[in-house]
Amino acid sequence: MLSIKCFKIPVRLSYPAVALFTLSVIISGKDSMICLCLFCSVFHELGHLFLICRFCGKPRGISVNLGDIAIESDTTCLSKSGELLIDIAGPISNFLLSLLTILLYFFSNAPILLNLCLCSLFIGLFNLLPLKSLDGGNILHNLLTKRFTLKTADTILDIISVIFIIPFLVGGFLILFISKYNYSLLLIAIYLILLISNKEMR
C-alpha cells in the first residue's frame, strides 16, 4: 500500500486502486466518463470529510481501496443528527457539483461539463440507494435505530439490501444475454456485493 500525506492527513492508496486509475487514464483518456466518475467519487468523499473535520476534528487517516474510500475518524461523539448530516453530505456535494457544472455548460457549451454533471448526478443518486455500505443504507440504518434495536435495524437493512441487489443481478444477466456485450449493470451488481462483503469483514 502506498502512503502519502495530504494536509497532514495520512492517505493510504492500495495498489489495485492505483493500477485501476492509471489503466483508466491510459485506455480511456483524461476526459473519459470513467475518469470523471472517479473525480466525482473523490468530490463525494470530500463532502463527508468536510463535515467530519467540522464535527470530529482531523481524521486519523484515509484509505483508498478498490472501489471504496474509507475515512478513519472517531465518530463516537456524534449525535444521530450529526451522523445523518455526515452521511448525506456526500450526495449533496455531488448534487451541488451537478448544479454548478450544468450552469457552466449553458454558458460555455463544453461537452465535458455536461458529462461531469451527469457523472456527479449518477454518483449522488447511486450512493442514496438503501444498501448496506452506501450512504443511503447508512441513512436508513440511522433512522431505523430510532425505532428499533440495533440488531433489528441491521436485519431490516440486510433484507432491504438483498431485495435491491437481486434486480441488479437479474437485470445485469438479462441485458448481457440480450446485448451479448453490455455488462455494465452486472458489474454494478458485483461491485455492490463486494462492497457489502468488504464491510462485513471489517
Side-chain angles (χ1 to χ4, degrees):
M1 211 175 237
L2 297 174
S3 184
I4 59 174
K5 281 199 173 182
C6 183
F7 298 104
K8 297 182 179 181
I9 300 173
V11 179
R12 291 176 290 277
L13 308 168
S14 70
Y15 291 118
V18 174
L20 176 63
F21 175 75
T22 304
L23 189 63
S24 300
V25 173
I26 293 173
I27 294 176
S28 306
K30 64 181 181 179
D31 295 338
S32 73
M33 294 295 281
I34 294 175
C35 290
L36 291 178
C37 281
L38 288 173
F39 170 80
C40 292
S41 297
V42 172
F43 195 84
H44 173 99
E45 295 302 329
L46 288 175
H48 292 307
L49 182 61
F50 176 78
L51 283 192
I52 286 175
C53 291
R54 174 68 178 81
F55 293 143
C56 309
K58 188 172 68 173
R60 294 188 299 271
I62 299 172
S63 298
V64 181
N65 302 301
L66 192 61
D68 178 39
I69 301 176
I71 301 172
E72 301 161 16
S73 180
D74 182 15
T75 57
T76 55
C77 61
L78 286 174
S79 63
K80 288 294 182 182
S81 299
E83 290 178 0
L84 194 61
L85 285 173
I86 288 175
D87 288 333
I88 205 169
I92 287 178
S93 298
N94 286 127
F95 298 148
L96 290 176
L97 180 61
S98 293
L99 180 61
L100 176 63
T101 50
I102 196 64
L103 290 174
L104 291 174
Y105 171 74
F106 286 134
F107 287 105
S108 65
N109 205 32
I112 188 174
L113 291 174
L114 180 59
N115 291 337
L116 184 58
C117 171
L118 294 174
C119 284
S120 191
L121 186 62
F122 169 77
I123 295 295
L125 292 174
F126 178 79
N127 275 279
L128 283 177
L129 289 174
L131 300 173
K132 182 179 283 189
S133 77
L134 294 182
D135 295 328
N138 293 334
I139 292 168
L140 178 59
H141 188 267
N142 190 305
L143 296 174
L144 287 171
T145 53
K146 291 182 178 180
R147 298 194 60 182
F148 304 100
T149 64
L150 183 61
K151 185 177 180 180
T152 302
D154 287 339
T155 302
I156 294 173
L157 185 57
D158 286 338
I159 294 170
I160 292 174
S161 296
V162 171
I163 290 173
F164 268 80
I165 285 178
I166 288 175
F168 276 94
L169 272 175
V170 174
F173 278 115
L174 284 175
I175 291 173
L176 180 60
F177 178 77
I178 294 171
S179 67
K180 307 298 182 184
Y181 68 90
N182 191 340
Y183 48 83
S184 55
L185 189 60
L186 184 59
L187 284 179
I188 290 175
I190 294 172
Y191 165 75
L192 288 171
I193 293 171
L194 291 175
L195 203 60
I196 292 172
S197 300
N198 184 48
K199 185 168 184 178
E200 290 290 340
M201 290 186 294
R202 286 178 186 172

